[in-house]
C-alpha cells in the first residue's frame, strides 16, 4: 500500500506541476490575443457617433472601438443601418430581386453593394468580438488551471508530509 501511496502522490504532484506551468502560458496567450485584437480594432479608427445612436447603444456614444464588446455594439449599429437601407432585406434577397430584373436595375445593384459592405463589416466586427470572448475563456481557464495545479501540488505535499509523521 505504501508504494501505491507514493505513486499516487507523485502522479498528483506531477499533474499539479504541469497545470501550474500550463496556466500562466494560457494567461499570457490570452493577454497577447487581447492586445492583438485591440491593436487591429484601433487601426480601423472606428468611433461611435456622438449623436443619433439608438437607446441601447447610448453608453457607447463617442467611444473608439477597441474591445470585443465595443466591436459587438458597433456591429449592431451596422445591422440597424443595413436594415434601414435595405428595408430589412438581406444581400441574398436583394441579389435574387436583381437577377429577376435581368441584372438591369441600378438601384438594386447599389442596394446590393450596400448590403454586401454592411454585412461584411458586421461579420468582421463580430469575428473580433468572438475572438475577444475566446481570450476571456482562455485566460479564465489559465487562472483556474494555475489554482487547481497549485492545490494539487499542495495536497500531494501535505499527504506526503502526513505519511512520515509518527
Amino acid at each position: 500500500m505504501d508504494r501505491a501511496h507514493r505513486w499516487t502522490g507523485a502522479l498528483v504532484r506531477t499533474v499539479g506541476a504541469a497545470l501550474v506551468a500550463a496556466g500562466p502560458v494560457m494567461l499570457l496567450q490570452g493577454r497577447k490575443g487581447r492586445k492583438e485584437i485591440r491593436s487591429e480594432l484601433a487601426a480601423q479608427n472606428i468611433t461611435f457617433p456622438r449623436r443619433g445612436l439608438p437607446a441601447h447603444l447610448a453608453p457607447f456614444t463617442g467611444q473608439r472601438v477597441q474591445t470585443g464588446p465595443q466591436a459587438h455594439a458597433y456591429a449592431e449599429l451596422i445591422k440597424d443601418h443595413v436594415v434601414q437601407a435595405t428595408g430589412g432585406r438581406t444581400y441574398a434577397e436583394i441579389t435574387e430581386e436583381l437577377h429577376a430584373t435581368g441584372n438591369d436595375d441600378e438601384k438594386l445593384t447599389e442596394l446590393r453593394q450596400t448590403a454586401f459592405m454592411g454585412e461584411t463589416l458586421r461579420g468582421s466586427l463580430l469575428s473580433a468580438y468572438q475572438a475577444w470572448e475566446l481570450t476571456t475563456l482562455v485566460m479564465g481557464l489559465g487562472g483556474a488551471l494555475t489554482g487547481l495545479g497549485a492545490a494539487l501540488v499542495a495536497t500531494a505535499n501535505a499527504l506526503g508530509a502526513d505519511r512520515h509523521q509518527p
Side-chain angles (χ1 to χ4, degrees):
M1 198 56 111
D2 191 36
R3 181 176 178 188
H5 187 84
R6 280 194 313 267
W7 189 86
T8 302
L11 179 62
V12 169
R13 188 176 292 108
T14 301
V15 169
L19 294 177
V20 167
V25 170
M26 292 176 75
L27 286 165
L28 289 173
Q29 287 299 104
R31 287 180 54 112
K32 179 182 170 190
R34 283 258 170 114
K35 184 178 177 183
E36 188 172 337
I37 294 165
R38 281 183 185 275
S39 175
E40 290 298 321
L41 287 172
Q44 298 306 311
N45 205 20
I46 303 168
T47 303
F48 284 91
R50 295 202 177 279
R51 289 180 305 218
L53 283 177
H56 69 284
L57 297 177
F60 297 98
T61 299
Q63 291 182 18
R64 288 193 64 198
V65 176
Q66 297 179 331
T67 68
Q70 290 168 329
H72 185 268
Y74 205 89
E76 290 304 304
L77 179 62
I78 291 172
K79 177 183 176 185
D80 291 346
H81 288 170
V82 170
V83 165
Q84 283 179 339
T86 65
R89 294 173 293 178
T90 65
Y91 170 82
E93 292 168 333
I94 295 167
T95 298
E96 188 175 319
E97 288 178 43
L98 182 60
H99 290 325
T101 69
N103 294 326
D104 196 28
D105 186 321
E106 194 171 318
K107 277 190 157 189
L108 281 176
T109 299
E110 290 175 10
L111 192 57
R112 181 174 73 162
Q113 182 67 20
T114 298
F116 177 78
M117 289 185 338
E119 290 176 12
T120 300
L121 291 170
R122 185 169 185 270
S124 293
L125 288 168
L126 289 174
S127 292
Y129 171 68
Q130 290 170 344
W132 186 272
E133 292 296 302
L134 189 57
T135 62
T136 301
L137 176 64
V138 168
M139 290 188 301
L141 287 173
L145 290 179
T146 301
L148 177 60
L152 288 174
V153 169
T155 299
N157 289 340
L159 290 175
D162 289 345
R163 195 174 56 78
H164 293 297
Q165 291 189 6

